[in-house]
């Protein structure tokens, strides 16, 4: 298992080792490996080659083990993780997300170019050379939301399980000539195109302090639905009282949509009550959402619990068809759960350790389980 972020130490049990922003460990027993690329800045994204010999990294950094790089690089997964010199490694801005589709490395971020390509915010790179392989056209990603210092960006992406589509989130108003906000779907194949799918709900603005509010997404196992966690606080129009307003719009909520290539309204919305959600995952029975939420199913409260709200701190598991809370393991809230991953073993959750957050899930006796700061596994 490989993990990235912003950190200088990793602790497992009583053992503490120095690791700067990237490390690997045994998914079976948690043992930290000797792999240590030593990246000097935040790493936002990692993806492995099909044979797991190469790890592609993106973020905001300028050095890996003393080798000069800029925001993107390929490193070996052998030894301590040396930079692969044949892969070009210079991006003009933050590389926030990487995904591999066939022989193509799909890169998204805040950049205005990567390795001499002039394509902004999203580009396809050769897995071998790191150069623009022209698989993706110039998508014409443009526009941004006012407030909070926002700029145009691609923030995250998720490949469909069948590999034919790419779900993408970011801050933009136009993609491929389409009026699209917060999220779009790319049809992959011989000649990728922007799908006619769009969310009607995401045409609404959330509060100016959080105008870019969709930061992750997840596909259902059969790729017929997508799920989104949102920040946003509340609609930009304002709702008056913080504690009595009925929630509306797509802000601070979990949402589900069909993936039919047309304008879609949400199948359901589950409101936290003005707490942010940052991450999503899904299996055949549950859609999982993580953030720093205190409640689930709380449409009548804002920063307060109102009927029919349910206490569900840190993460929630919802019925994928109805959005009702069906799994409530609880988790230390911290700033929020940034990422989740489904494996055959269960649900992995990555988060910060703000305010000494140290619990994830419950013991067999139903009490909070402590000692799981940063990464935890909720087993099947």
């Amino acid at each position: 298992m490989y993990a990235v972020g912003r950190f200088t130490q990793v602790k497992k049990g009583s053992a503490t080792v120095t690791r700067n922003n990237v490390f690997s460990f045994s998914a079976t027993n948690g043992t930290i490996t000797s792999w240590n690329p030593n990246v000097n800045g935040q790493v936002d994204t990692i993806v492995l080659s099909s044979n797991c010999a190469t790890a592609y990294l993106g973020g905001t950094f300028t050095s890996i083990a003393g080798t000069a790089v800029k925001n993107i690089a390929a490193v070996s997964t052998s030894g301590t993780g040396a930079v692969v010199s044949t892969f070009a490694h210079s991006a003009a801005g933050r590389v926030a997300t990487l995904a591999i589709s066939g022989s193509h490395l799909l890169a998204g971020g805040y950049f205005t170019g990567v390795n001499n390509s002039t394509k902004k915010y999203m580009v396809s790179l050769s897995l071998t050379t790191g150069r623009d392989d022209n698989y993706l056209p110039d998508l014409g990603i443009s526009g941004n939301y006012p407030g909070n210092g926002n700029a145009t960006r691609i923030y995250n992406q998720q490949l469909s399980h069948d590999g034919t589509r790419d779900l993408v989130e970011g801050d933009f108003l136009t993609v491929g000539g389409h009026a699209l906000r917060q999220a779009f779907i790319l049809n992959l194949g011989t000649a990728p195109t922007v799908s006619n799918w769009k969310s009607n709900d995401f045409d609404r603005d959330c509060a100016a302090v959080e105008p870019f509010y969709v930061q992750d997404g997840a596909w259902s196992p059969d790729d017929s639905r997508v799920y989104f966690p949102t920040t946003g606080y509340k609609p930009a129009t304002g709702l008056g009282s913080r504690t009595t307003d009925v929630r509306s719009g797509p802000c601070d909520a979990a949402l589900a949509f069909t993936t039919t290539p047309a304008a879609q309204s949400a199948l359901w919305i589950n409101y936290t009550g003005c707490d942010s959600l940052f991450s999503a995952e899904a299996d055949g029975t549950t859609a999982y959402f993580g953030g720093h939420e205190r409640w689930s199913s709380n449409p009548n409260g804002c920063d307060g619990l109102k009927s029919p709200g349910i206490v569900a701190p840190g993460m929630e598991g919802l019925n994928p068809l109805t959005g009702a809370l069906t799994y409530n393991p609880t988790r230390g809230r911290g700033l929020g759960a940034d990422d989740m991953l489904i494996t055959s073993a269960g649900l992995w959750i990555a988060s910060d350790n703000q305010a000494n957050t140290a619990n994830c899930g419950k013991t067999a006796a139903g009490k909070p389980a402590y000692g799981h700061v940063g990464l935890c596994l909720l087993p099947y």
Side-chain angles (χ1 to χ4, degrees):
M1 186 73 74
Y2 295 80
V4 300
R6 186 175 63 205
F7 48 82
T8 57
Q9 290 184 331
V10 180
K11 182 177 181 180
K12 196 267 181 180
S14 61
T16 300
V17 299
T18 297
R19 292 289 185 271
N20 289 315
N21 306 311
V22 60
F23 74 105
S24 68
F25 63 98
S26 166
T28 303
N29 59 29
T31 299
I32 302 164
T33 74
S34 59
W35 189 68
N36 183 18
N38 190 22
V39 185
N40 76 337
Q42 179 169 309
V43 182
D44 295 304
T45 181
I46 182 172
V47 65
L48 299 177
S49 61
S50 59
N51 62 0
C52 294
T54 304
Y56 300 90
L57 307 177
T60 49
F61 48 80
T62 59
S63 173
I64 295 179
T67 298
V69 297
K70 191 174 181 181
N71 304 324
I72 190 170
V75 299
S76 172
T77 57
S78 300
T80 58
V83 171
V84 178
S85 60
T86 54
F87 183 90
H89 39 258
S90 179
R94 177 180 177 183
V95 176
T97 177
L98 296 170
I100 292 177
S101 176
S103 61
H104 312 288
L105 180 66
L106 307 182
Y110 300 43
F111 54 78
T112 54
V114 179
N115 296 331
N116 295 325
S117 172
T118 58
K119 292 173 183 172
K120 297 179 180 180
Y121 315 120
M122 195 163 190
V123 64
S124 173
L125 306 174
S126 163
L127 292 171
T128 303
T129 68
R131 304 291 182 183
D132 186 350
D133 60 12
N134 292 310
Y135 174 63
L136 286 185
D138 188 333
L139 295 173
I141 299 167
S142 64
N144 61 281
Y145 305 108
N148 210 29
N150 276 7
T152 308
R153 74 191 81 168
I154 295 299
Y155 191 81
N156 217 336
Q157 64 182 321
Q158 304 82 35
L159 294 178
S160 61
H161 293 88
D162 65 7
T164 65
R165 289 171 289 178
D166 191 19
L167 180 64
V168 186
E169 300 84 38
D171 184 348
F172 44 76
L173 302 177
T174 303
V175 182
H178 300 257
L180 292 165
R181 299 175 56 169
Q182 305 286 342
F184 65 92
I185 293 176
L186 272 179
N187 294 319
L188 303 175
T190 305
T193 59
V194 178
S195 169
N196 289 325
W197 180 92
K198 69 166 290 186
S199 160
N200 292 324
D201 298 83
F202 295 161
D203 284 341
R204 298 186 63 178
D205 291 335
C206 290
V209 292
E210 299 175 21
F212 159 52
Y213 52 85
V214 178
Q215 299 182 18
D216 195 16
W219 296 85
S220 65
D222 65 359
D223 295 330
S224 66
R225 294 180 303 280
V226 286
Y227 308 102
F228 295 101
T230 70
T231 67
Y233 182 35
K234 59 183 182 179
T237 52
L239 291 175
S241 170
R242 291 166 62 87
T243 58
T244 61
D245 284 321
V246 175
R247 299 296 91 205
S248 65
C251 314
D252 278 355
L255 302 91
F257 298 85
T258 70
T259 56
T260 302
Q264 302 290 334
S265 296
L267 295 171
W268 49 258
I269 303 178
N270 183 307
Y271 291 100
T272 63
C274 297
D275 285 340
S276 292
L277 297 174
F278 301 120
S279 56
E281 256 290 10
D283 58 24
T285 64
T286 307
Y288 305 94
F289 298 87
H292 62 235
E293 74 275 24
R294 289 164 285 183
W295 310 290
S296 179
S297 307
N298 191 31
N300 298 319
C302 181
D303 286 332
L305 179 64
K306 298 289 183 179
S307 178
I310 302 168
V311 175
M315 69 93 60
E316 59 185 359
L318 307 182
N319 182 305
L321 299 180
T322 67
L325 182 71
T326 57
Y327 178 58
N328 188 9
T330 74
R331 187 191 65 81
R333 293 174 63 221
L335 181 63
D338 291 318
D339 202 4
M340 295 193 286
L341 175 68
I342 292 285
T343 70
S344 58
L347 176 67
W348 289 89
I349 305 173
S351 62
D352 64 283
N353 57 1
Q354 180 172 289
N356 296 317
T357 296
N359 75 284
C360 184
K362 299 175 182 177
T363 67
K367 297 181 179 180
Y370 290 94
H372 300 283
V373 176
L375 288 168
C376 72
L377 172 65
L378 298 180
Y380 281 133

